[in-house]
Structures are given as C-alpha cells and as structure tokens.
Amino acid sequence: MSEKQALAIDVGGTKILSGLISKKGIISDRRTFSTKNTLVDALVLQLEEIIDYYISSNEISGIGIAFAGTVDYKKGIVIEPPNFSFSNLKITEILGKKFKVPIFVENDANLATLGEKHHGAAKNSDEVVMVTLGTGIGGGIISVGKLIRGFNGSAAELGHMIIDPDSKVKCGCGAYGCFETKASGKALVRIALSKLENKPKSLILDYAQGKDEYITGPFITEAARNGDKIALQCFVHLSRWLGIGLTNIVNIFNPELIVLGGGLANAYDLFVPAATDFARKDAMSPNKESFKVVKAVLGDDAGLYGAAAMVFGRIE
Ligand SMILES: [Zn+2]
C-alpha cells in the first residue's frame, strides 16, 4: 500500500489553497478556491467541502491548516484572523467532529517558514528567519530547528518592528514607522509616488497611464528593468530600509539563513543584494560575516508544505 499523504490547506482572506503532500514533499491534486465568505459558518462549510473532496478518494494521515492571523496551535484555535468576521474559532474541534483524522492549525507565516525549512530554500539549516515581502511584511523564525512562537504564539511579527519613529505613515497595526511601512510592496509604491510628485518623465507613469492610483509594484519593477532612472532610485531607497530591517534581524537572531519570499521577491536582484550589503556592513561581528540571504523557492505553496510538515510530526 502506498504511504498516506497529508491534506494541506492554506486559508487566506481571498483564496484557499489545498493539496495532498507526501512525506517526501511531492504535492498532488493542488487546487485553488476563492474564499466564499468571511463568516464563520460559510468558511467551515467550505472547508468541509474541500476536505470531503479529498477524503472521498484518498486515505490521508491528517489535515494541516495554515491560517492567516494569530493561532493557538496547541489548542487548535484561530484567535484573530484579520480577513474574517470572527474570532476564537475552535477549528480543529469543529472539523474533528466530522473528520476522524488528526487535524492541526498554525499561523500561515510560521508554516511557510517551516515549509521552506523542510522542502525549500532552508533545507539544511536550523537557524532561519523568513521575511515575506508582499503588500505587508510577514515573518517566521526557526532557532535550534524549532519555530519561535513566543508566549501567545504571535511572535515573529517582523513587519512591525519600528525602524523610523519619525515617519508620518501609520501602519495597519496603529504604530508609525513599522518595517512594513518602509520596505513592503506598498512602501515601494509610496516611495514611487513621492518621487513622481512633480510628474517627471518616467516609464512608471507611462505604464500607469499617467495615473497615480494605477501605479503598482510590478510596474515599478518593469520600469527599473528597462533602465528607468526613477524606478531604479525607488529600489535604492527601498534597499536602505530593507537593509535596516535585515541588520536588526541579523543582530537579534544571528541567523544562518534569511529566506526572502513574497511577491516583491520577484524583484530580488533589484534591491536585495544592496540591502544585504548594508546589513553586512552595519550588523555586529560575527553575525554579519556569517549570514546568507536566499530567495524562497516554494512560492505560494510554502504554507501547504509547512502544514504537511505539521501533520508528519515535524512541527518543531
Ligand atoms: Zn505595524
């Protein structure tokens, strides 16, 4: 008989990913769904339908769920999901009434980090910090081979370390000058808007049909790749702030590897080497000599791989 696979599900505010993953990390029957509704009953029903589909034709060893938001993984509770209209959902207990297999839930950024450790860019390292550069900035920390979760399970909020207290930009968390207001995809657009205030000639504006509200990270990236001076300056600016964030991470965690993921990592070569140089210069010895920065390799599937690792008992 073939080895049982894990059913991995990654629940986000706009989409839900799912797939079967073997112990060796082979993914199959990967599916993507739109998140139908942010209400609790609708979400539970949708998850039950997804699970029903898989277990009707497969024997699975367990279900691992990655969830965006604060999670108490020991109790199986989704505490504060920012994209949904509920809190304190006992998700493993509710699904466990119908499905008689082990069910686990954990924060999606933690599981993405675990996924990269077991099947991705950080395979041979026990000292890893993952930084996800998307619209915001997420993070996960592995030390001595284990996730660092903190007292409430909500550690590793790397995006909310304050690196520019004089900033006028208020973060979603309520503070000013958080890392994610300075070095995320949204920050890149903000930097571009300030440099384009007087409407200088730039490919960014050409791509955005001259409209500020149409400016996106991918447009800025494309303009930079085509040699646009302002776009290149935007990335220089971004790299300085990313460099400050990386310096703090290198000093505090002394990682062997920093794995950079998220949509903005598509522009990796335009700003990460420069940011790495800043950290290499500004952090303390011996931390600054030994760390490496690498690009995440699992993309959107990192959370699924981490969820499967949880099922296979590699949670630590
Ligand atoms: Zn913040």
Side-chain angles (χ1 to χ4, degrees):
M1 202 182 84
S2 64
E3 212 173 58
K4 283 185 193 172
Q5 299 173 96
L7 170 55
I9 303 175
D10 189 340
V11 182
T14 55
K15 60 183 178 176
I16 299 175
L17 310 178
S18 62
L20 294 168
I21 299 184
S22 72
K23 255 188 182 168
K24 286 185 180 152
I26 312 284
I27 191 164
S28 59
D29 206 355
R30 188 189 175 291
R31 299 162 75 88
T32 306
F33 307 87
S34 294
T35 309
K36 280 186 190 159
N37 196 308
T38 63
L39 296 173
V40 65
D41 291 347
L43 177 70
V44 169
L45 189 65
Q46 190 174 12
L47 290 175
E48 286 178 347
E49 283 170 7
I50 292 169
I51 297 167
D52 268 330
Y53 161 79
Y54 283 101
I55 61 169
S56 65
S57 51
N58 300 279
E59 254 198 85
I60 58 168
S61 54
I63 302 167
I65 302 170
F67 216 108
T70 317
V71 171
D72 183 333
Y73 84 102
K74 282 187 186 155
K75 293 184 181 153
I77 300 174
V78 178
I79 299 170
E80 281 294 335
N83 309 310
F84 291 90
S85 333
F86 58 79
S87 56
N88 296 310
L89 174 65
K90 294 179 178 171
I91 193 165
T92 58
E93 187 184 311
I94 291 168
L95 294 174
K97 284 180 187 153
K98 185 165 178 194
F99 305 105
K100 303 299 174 196
V101 291
I103 304 173
F104 306 90
V105 64
E106 171 58 297
N107 167 266
D108 59 346
N110 277 349
L111 287 184
T113 310
L114 205 63
E116 291 288 346
K117 172 174 165 46
H118 287 291
H119 298 289
K123 255 187 205 166
N124 297 313
S125 180
D126 283 340
E127 299 293 336
V128 182
V129 176
M130 181 159 176
V131 182
T132 308
L133 304 170
T135 316
I137 294 182
I141 301 157
I142 288 174
S143 187
V144 202
K146 297 180 180 180
L147 278 171
I148 291 187
R149 293 187 170 86
F151 181 60
N152 296 314
S154 51
E157 289 292 354
L158 301 176
H160 300 284
M161 61 176 155
I162 294 172
I163 59 173
D164 183 15
D166 297 327
S167 167
K168 301 282 182 287
V169 181
K170 194 175 186 180
C171 180
C173 75
Y176 289 83
C178 289
F179 187 30
E180 83 168 30
T181 67
K182 308 298 288 186
S184 63
K186 232 180 182 172
L188 179 66
V189 171
R190 200 177 296 119
I191 293 165
L193 285 172
S194 72
K195 291 190 189 299
L196 293 166
E197 217 167 358
N198 299 322
K199 304 285 174 208
K201 183 90 195 89
S202 167
L203 286 175
I204 302 171
L205 282 172
D206 294 350
Y207 298 151
Q209 298 164 36
K211 292 188 177 151
D212 284 355
E213 60 272 30
Y214 288 178
I215 293 173
T216 61
F219 282 161
I220 302 166
T221 303
E222 199 184 332
R225 294 211 187 285
N226 286 316
D228 183 82
K229 275 203 184 109
I230 289 177
L232 288 165
Q233 283 167 13
C234 291
F235 279 103
V236 169
H237 191 131
L238 191 78
S239 70
R240 186 67 193 111
W241 289 112
L242 179 63
I244 291 171
L246 294 183
T247 302
N248 292 339
I249 288 167
V250 167
N251 280 337
I252 296 169
F253 299 106
N254 183 204
E256 178 188 16
L257 286 182
I258 297 175
V259 180
L260 286 188
L264 199 51
N266 292 329
Y268 193 92
D269 55 304
L270 291 170
F271 69 114
V272 177
T276 306
D277 287 347
F278 283 123
R280 193 80 70 201
K281 179 171 74 61
D282 291 342
M284 290 180 70
S285 284
N287 307 28
K288 68 176 180 181
E289 286 88 14
S290 56
F291 79 93
K292 284 194 207 92
V293 180
V294 294
K295 196 173 168 181
V297 297
L298 298 177
D300 281 353
D301 290 346
L304 292 178
Y305 281 99
M310 207 171 176
V311 172
F312 292 130
R314 296 166 177 159
I315 181 57
E316 295 189 327

